[in-house]
Amino acid sequence: MIPLDIISDPICPWCYIGKANLDRAIEETGKNPFSTTWRIFQLNPDMPAQGVDRKEYLEWKFGGPEGAKQVYGRIAQAGKAAGLDMKLEAIPRTPNTFDAHRLIRWAKVTGNQTALVNQLFRKYFEQGVDISERDVLLEAAESIGLEREVVDELLNGDADRDKLIEEEGAARQMGVTGVPCFIINGKHVVQGAQDTATWVKIIEELSEALDNHQEATP
């Protein structure tokens, strides 16, 4: 298997779209050469713990109502093309995602990290759920095999906070300024929400290289 590090934020629409396009490529080729690890990136590292009103946030970020409308019009089109049922207008608040990132890190223990990330994407973009709320995170933790009481206790403290801050800092130092960012085998970077055709080509090339390596290995 080839390591694939996906640097993302569960409230990043392009991350959801990019992952959907990768999933479609895996389905089309019938091949998945990747061993995936999800890495932290906060779109809003200074977001208040309680989050902010979604409409006000978008208008601030994109220079007013018209800017927000244009940007999210493109996102809605890309989401539809990726086969996603994104209900962007149903999202009431933009949350702080640091605790969600802590849970994503802990999910690696169960081998269900990707399942958790997919769940957070769906909750936020399709159901308008605030994924910073404790009960939401605990329910998601239970669904992937983590113990609710243990996760609750961890969230009450500072477990892995410094490690995640360090990890995100390292990503920014290496030049990551936006997400999604896919790092293949620790050295090849695929930036942005690439389309399915691009991922099909990448997967076919990687799978061929893996097959050739296995044939050459005595």
Side-chain angles (χ1 to χ4, degrees):
M1 300 294 282
I2 298 171
L4 175 65
D5 291 284
I6 305 179
I7 304 174
S8 78
D9 195 341
I11 61 166
C12 166
W14 292 112
C15 294
Y16 192 20
I17 293 165
K19 178 57 167 55
N21 288 338
L22 171 58
D23 287 343
R24 291 174 74 180
I26 290 171
E27 184 177 352
E28 284 185 21
T29 60
K31 302 171 183 177
N32 183 4
F34 300 120
S35 173
T36 302
T37 299
W38 291 84
R39 304 289 186 185
I40 182 174
F41 190 93
Q42 296 177 94
L43 292 179
N44 311 290
D46 298 321
M47 178 66 67
Q50 71 274 16
V52 297
D53 178 82
R54 177 75 170 171
K55 182 174 180 293
E56 292 179 6
Y57 165 76
L58 292 180
E59 292 181 2
W60 165 79
K61 187 168 185 176
F62 299 113
E66 189 57 35
K69 181 178 179 181
Q70 290 179 3
V71 169
Y72 268 76
R74 293 194 295 271
I75 289 171
Q77 290 179 347
K80 185 175 181 180
L84 299 175
D85 184 23
M86 301 174 77
K87 297 181 174 64
L88 300 170
E89 69 286 347
I91 302 172
R93 297 186 67 76
T94 298
N96 181 300
T97 58
F98 197 81
D99 279 346
H101 281 293
R102 289 208 286 165
L103 182 57
I104 291 168
R105 180 182 179 87
W106 301 331
K108 185 74 174 174
V109 175
T110 69
N112 292 324
Q113 201 180 33
T114 294
L116 173 66
V117 172
N118 285 338
Q119 185 178 161
L120 294 176
F121 278 144
R122 288 194 299 271
K123 285 181 179 294
Y124 185 67
F125 288 109
E126 298 181 13
Q127 301 169 21
V129 172
D130 185 342
I131 58 171
S132 70
E133 290 186 358
R134 180 64 61 90
D135 284 345
V136 172
L137 293 175
L138 293 178
E139 178 185 329
E142 277 190 303
S143 74
I144 58 150
L146 292 172
E147 293 186 23
R148 185 184 184 99
E149 294 77 11
V150 172
V151 173
D152 192 27
E153 184 174 348
L154 289 171
L155 287 172
N156 282 332
D158 291 327
D160 285 336
R161 183 174 296 275
D162 290 345
K163 291 179 181 178
L164 284 171
I165 290 172
E166 181 180 350
E167 182 181 302
E168 182 173 17
R172 293 183 186 274
Q173 281 189 334
M174 65 183 263
V176 177
T177 58
V179 286
C181 180
F182 303 83
I183 303 176
I184 301 171
N185 207 20
K187 54 187 176 180
H188 302 296
V189 177
V190 179
Q191 185 69 49
Q194 300 297 324
D195 59 23
T196 297
T198 297
W199 278 114
V200 166
K201 182 179 179 181
I202 291 171
I203 289 170
E204 293 289 7
E205 290 176 353
L206 290 173
S207 297
E208 182 179 355
L210 276 176
D211 290 343
N212 292 337
H213 176 73
Q214 289 172 355
E215 290 175 4
T217 301

